[in-house]
């Protein structure tokens, strides 16, 4: 047994013999570091007060300036470009209808025709059609469209 081990053993024995089982007080440097780490942890981890309920106005939206907000804007812009491209394809390949009271221009195309044209460009046609309908750019009947079954469904722009 080395002298270092003996000294450590005797110090532990001395503490237990004296009944002094209190932990030592950390040094001021360690206290300062612990406080800094605790403060950083509070800013990084979500706290109870930051938890939103479905009734809160910011619920379901990312924190402004965050990476999530950036990704959301980037995805929204990409989808908007794809919807514009879809509308351009409908304008090029669709049949022009007589202007109505509601709109100046109106183009009509069957889903089957649009599917055949658009499938070489993208496999996301139905999703884009649903999104374009949500933005009131297109009209068609039914909840969603299926290849084969809904080929004769009219899509109105």
């Amino acid at each position: 047994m080395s002298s270092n081990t003996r000294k450590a053993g005797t110090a532990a024995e001395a503490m237990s013999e004296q009944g002094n089982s209190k932990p030592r007080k950390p040094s001021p440097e360690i206290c300062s570091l612990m406080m800094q780490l605790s403060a950083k942890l509070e800013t990084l981890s979500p706290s109870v007060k930051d938890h939103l309920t479905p009734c809160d106005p910011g619920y379901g939206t990312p924190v402004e300036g965050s990476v999530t907000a950036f990704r959301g804007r980037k995805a929204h812009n990409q989808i908007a470009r794809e919807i514009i491209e879809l509308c351009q394809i409908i304008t090029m390949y669709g049949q022009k209808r007589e202007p109505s009271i509601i709109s100046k221009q109106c183009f009509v195309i069957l889903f089957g025709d649009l599917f055949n044209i658009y499938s070489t460009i993208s496999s996301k046609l139905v999703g884009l059609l649903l999104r374009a309908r949500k933005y009131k750019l297109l009209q068609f009947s039914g909840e969603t469209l299926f290849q084969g079954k809904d080929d004769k469904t009219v899509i109105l722009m």
Side-chain angles (χ1 to χ4, degrees), residues 34-145:
M34 288 174 59
M35 287 175 51
Q36 288 174 2
L37 286 173
S38 295
K40 183 141 186 130
L41 181 63
E42 286 177 14
T43 61
L44 294 177
S45 65
S47 63
V48 177
K49 64 183 176 187
D50 292 334
H51 185 72
L52 299 174
T53 63
C55 300
D56 292 330
Y59 183 78
T61 58
V63 177
E64 195 56 41
S66 67
V67 175
T68 303
F70 172 75
R71 287 184 191 134
R73 280 191 302 277
K74 185 177 175 185
H76 179 76
N77 291 338
Q78 177 63 29
I79 290 168
R81 281 192 295 274
E82 290 179 9
I83 289 174
I84 290 168
E85 180 184 7
L86 173 65
C87 291
Q88 289 171 340
I89 289 172
I90 292 173
T91 303
M92 287 190 314
Y93 293 99
Q95 296 174 352
K96 190 172 184 178
R97 283 241 177 123
E98 294 296 320
S100 66
I101 299 169
I102 299 171
S103 65
K104 294 178 184 175
Q105 283 187 352
C106 185
F107 292 91
V108 176
I109 191 166
L110 295 177
F111 174 67
D113 296 338
L114 182 62
F115 191 88
N116 290 332
I117 294 164
Y118 203 83
S119 65
T120 59
I121 300 167
S122 173
S123 62
K124 304 178 269 189
L125 175 62
V126 175
L128 289 173
L129 288 170
L130 293 172
R131 183 65 63 106
R133 181 170 68 176
K134 177 182 173 184
Y135 293 139
K136 299 184 183 351
L137 297 171
L138 302 176
Q139 296 175 0
F140 56 89
S141 61
E143 282 293 311
T144 189
L145 300 170

